[in-house]
Amino acid sequence: MRKVIAAINMTIDGYCDHTYGVADDELHDHYTALLRNADTILYGRTTYQLMESYWPLVAKNPTGDKSTDEFAMVMEHITKVVFSHTLKSVDWDSATLAKRSIEEEVLALRRQPGKNILVGSRSLIIALLNLHLIDEFQLCIHPVIAGKGLPLFANISESMKLHLTKTKTFGSGATVFYYEPQRS
């Protein structure tokens, strides 16, 4: 069965806001490798629209920065499943709107052959965490205290113990913590 991996950037005080992170070559290379080991990424409307407003343009008009351009090309081709109550259509060729509930969609995707399934939106991470459908967390903590924003772990229905499997530290000071839920 395919693994569901929640991968997200956050500040040291637990907020999810892409404007506080360090998006350097090393981080882009990391996420490019993560995307290459997956074939599907799940997004909520807000994150999808943020990504869709930038990365297709870079894929069509490369920046000249190898890490950024490679990330854009991998992002361009990975299958995106978008969960939204308000969007009626999506414009990115590799994206589709989910037609089922989050639980039904993820369970169906897990049964299909393929690579890992990534979850790249805070709202979906929370929903899937509450449904016990996340197999691994990859939390990239940036050395920034935001003081405000959207906390990642809000509205969690029950506590969960995690097992740290490894870490990866970047030159910027950002560190990815790899956790697996401890299932009883």
Side-chain angles (χ1 to χ4, degrees), residues 20 40 98 118 137 156 184:
Y20 288 114
T40 305
L118 302 177
F137 293 90
I156 303 301
S184 45

Side-chain angles (χ1 to χ4, degrees), residues 38-154:
D39 58 17
T40 305
I41 189 164
L42 311 177
Y43 283 132
R45 179 193 55 79
T46 302
T47 307
Y48 167 76
Q49 288 180 319
L50 176 73
M51 300 297 278
E52 191 268 338
S53 71
Y54 183 74
W55 291 108
L57 299 173
V58 175
K60 288 182 180 100
N61 301 298
T63 65
D65 178 78
K66 182 177 184 254
S67 295
T68 300
D69 295 343
E70 283 183 12
F71 178 84
M73 291 309 298
V74 174
M75 179 57 71
E76 180 70 11
H77 297 291
I78 192 168
T79 299
K80 296 157 207 64
V81 179
V82 182
F83 293 85
S84 174
H85 297 291
T86 57
L87 289 177
K88 301 299 179 215
S89 65
V90 290
D91 294 329
W92 211 340
D93 291 341
S94 55
T96 59
L97 284 172
K99 296 179 180 22
R100 300 175 274 205
S101 72
I102 294 168
E103 182 176 24
E104 292 169 326
E105 195 75 41
V106 170
L107 289 173
L109 285 168
R110 286 178 88 171
R111 286 190 289 272
Q112 295 172 4
K115 297 180 181 180
N116 293 330
I117 301 163
L118 302 177
V119 186
S121 291
R122 173 194 170 269
S123 60
L124 295 179
I125 290 172
I126 292 168
L128 292 171
L129 177 61
N130 286 329
L131 292 167
H132 303 280
L133 290 176
I134 295 178
D135 300 302
E136 180 178 283
F137 293 90
Q138 292 187 20
L139 306 176
C140 185
I141 311 299
H142 292 263
V144 174
I145 298 172
K148 62 181 177 19
L150 291 171
L152 176 58
F153 296 113

Side-chain angles (χ1 to χ4, degrees), residues 160-179:
M160 175 183 288
K161 290 187 178 186
L162 304 174
H163 173 70
L164 180 67
T165 59
K166 68 179 178 177
T167 61
K168 179 179 181 179
T169 302
F170 301 104
S172 68
T175 302
V176 180
F177 293 88
Y178 296 77
Y179 290 103

